[in-house]
Amino acid sequence: MDHDETIQTITNATIDSPGIHALFLSGSYGNGMADAYSDIDFVLVADDGATDAVAEIWRNAVSQTGEIVLWWDRTTVPVLINAITEDWTRTDVVILKPDQMGSHTQNSLKTLFDHAGIFDGLLEKAPAGGPNPERFRYQIEEFFRILGLMYLAVGREEYINGVLGTFHLRNLLVELLIEETDAPNRGGVLHLNRLITDDQKALLISLPPPIPNRDAMIATQLAYAKAYLPRARKRAHELGVEWPERFEAATWAKLKEALSIERPYETD
């Protein structure tokens, strides 16, 4: 069953269910950016929200599209159900009461049915957002905190944990690169190619892979520091974010004392 058939089958199975007011596509199907690899995100609006009865209606609807091999029923988020069928079609549904729809906007949804006219009462689009200086300051400090723990990883010979630290540094670098492009419609965690430039991709590809031994861990984390910190300092200046000068100095001083490491970049 292809995705269009899946969507139609679930729509047909829920449209006349008592207490259910509306069903929308959200995520990449809602904003028109879906591809062959996208999951199918739904928003279901019901009188009483995510009750056991509504969850059972949803399970019955999904089961009509194929055998369910994964079913996470309101586990991590009390209104979210995740499902995967035998052909690996992934469907997620957020189940809300009508008065909980205020965070959704018309440009992020596609109507499948709407008995109560809920769509017409939503904002056309969300107000323009902007950079979050407080969050960015936290990310900079987090980068220094993880980098500074290198001396501990070497001292304890915790090189497997050092690999995990490198992944954290990489994630912070990726977040910074996305912030630099100010890309709209970020989508889910599996989207990156359309969010960053070719030069940014080349930078990520050029960085050494994490390897769980002393010398490789040190070299890799220093490479990430060289890639991230000058860019982050520039971005902080653009946003008016105070740079954690004292924390940076203390971090490099500790790494020099413990590991004879010098800062791999120049500051302005």
Side-chain angles (χ1 to χ4, degrees), residues 59 62-73 82-91:
R59 185 179 183 108
V62 175
S63 69
Q64 294 182 37
T65 71
E67 180 187 353
I68 297 170
V69 295
L70 176 71
W71 183 259
W72 286 349
D73 190 337
N82 311 100
I84 299 177
T85 52
E86 59 185 336
D87 63 355
W88 252 83
T89 297
R90 295 166 291 128
T91 59

Side-chain angles (χ1 to χ4, degrees), residues 17-73:
S17 299
I20 292 181
H21 295 295
L23 182 66
F24 305 99
L25 289 171
S26 60
S28 55
Y29 274 93
N31 62 28
M33 300 189 71
D35 61 23
Y37 304 99
S38 298
D39 62 355
I40 310 173
D41 295 300
F42 296 88
V43 177
L44 183 72
V45 186
D47 270 332
D48 299 317
T51 63
D52 290 345
V54 172
E56 185 59 31
I57 290 170
W58 187 256
R59 185 179 183 108
N60 176 66
V62 175
S63 69
Q64 294 182 37
T65 71
E67 180 187 353
I68 297 170
V69 295
L70 176 71
W71 183 259
W72 286 349
D73 190 337

Side-chain angles (χ1 to χ4, degrees), residues 8-244:
Q8 191 59 57
T9 298
I10 290 175
T11 301
N12 293 341
T14 55
I15 191 169
D16 294 321
S17 299
I20 292 181
H21 295 295
L23 182 66
F24 305 99
L25 289 171
S26 60
S28 55
Y29 274 93
N31 62 28
M33 300 189 71
D35 61 23
Y37 304 99
S38 298
D39 62 355
I40 310 173
D41 295 300
F42 296 88
V43 177
L44 183 72
V45 186
D47 270 332
D48 299 317
T51 63
D52 290 345
V54 172
E56 185 59 31
I57 290 170
W58 187 256
R59 185 179 183 108
N60 176 66
V62 175
S63 69
Q64 294 182 37
T65 71
E67 180 187 353
I68 297 170
V69 295
L70 176 71
W71 183 259
W72 286 349
D73 190 337
R74 297 163 291 173
T75 52
T76 56
V77 179
V79 297
L80 174 66
I81 295 175
N82 311 100
I84 299 177
T85 52
E86 59 185 336
D87 63 355
W88 252 83
T89 297
R90 295 166 291 128
T91 59
D92 298 339
V93 63
V94 171
I95 305 171
L96 301 174
K97 299 176 183 179
D99 62 1
Q100 295 174 321
M101 285 293 292
S103 63
H104 291 275
T105 56
Q106 292 180 353
N107 69 337
S108 67
L109 299 174
K110 178 180 178 182
T111 303
L112 297 172
F113 64 84
D114 184 9
H115 303 317
I118 292 169
F119 185 85
D120 291 338
L122 302 177
L123 291 176
E124 181 180 351
K125 59 183 179 179
N132 186 330
E134 183 176 341
R135 181 173 180 269
F136 186 50
R137 167 77 183 216
Y138 166 80
Q139 290 176 325
I140 297 166
E141 292 176 338
E142 179 68 350
F143 194 99
F144 280 123
R145 187 185 71 85
I146 294 168
L147 184 68
L149 289 172
M150 191 194 309
Y151 87 93
L152 182 152
V154 171
R156 292 178 176 171
E157 299 184 357
E158 287 280 357
Y159 303 126
I160 295 174
N161 275 332
V163 167
L164 297 177
T166 300
F167 278 121
H168 284 303
L169 298 182
R170 183 178 182 85
N171 287 339
L172 289 166
L173 175 58
V174 169
E175 280 292 314
L176 174 59
L177 298 179
I178 295 172
E179 289 289 337
E180 288 178 351
T181 64
D182 195 25
N185 296 317
R186 292 193 180 188
V189 69
L190 298 180
H191 282 287
L192 182 60
N193 282 333
R194 62 179 172 80
L195 300 181
I196 61 176
T197 67
D198 289 342
D199 287 344
Q200 291 172 328
K201 292 174 191 175
L203 170 64
L204 289 171
I205 292 169
S206 72
L207 292 168
I211 298 172
N213 66 54
R214 182 187 190 279
D215 291 344
M217 182 192 71
I218 292 172
T220 299
Q221 294 199 6
L222 289 179
Y224 274 94
K226 185 176 181 179
Y228 178 88
L229 289 168
R231 299 178 85 112
R233 183 181 280 269
K234 178 182 177 183
R235 180 71 172 168
H237 178 73
E238 292 169 351
L239 298 179
V241 172
E242 183 181 3
W243 188 258

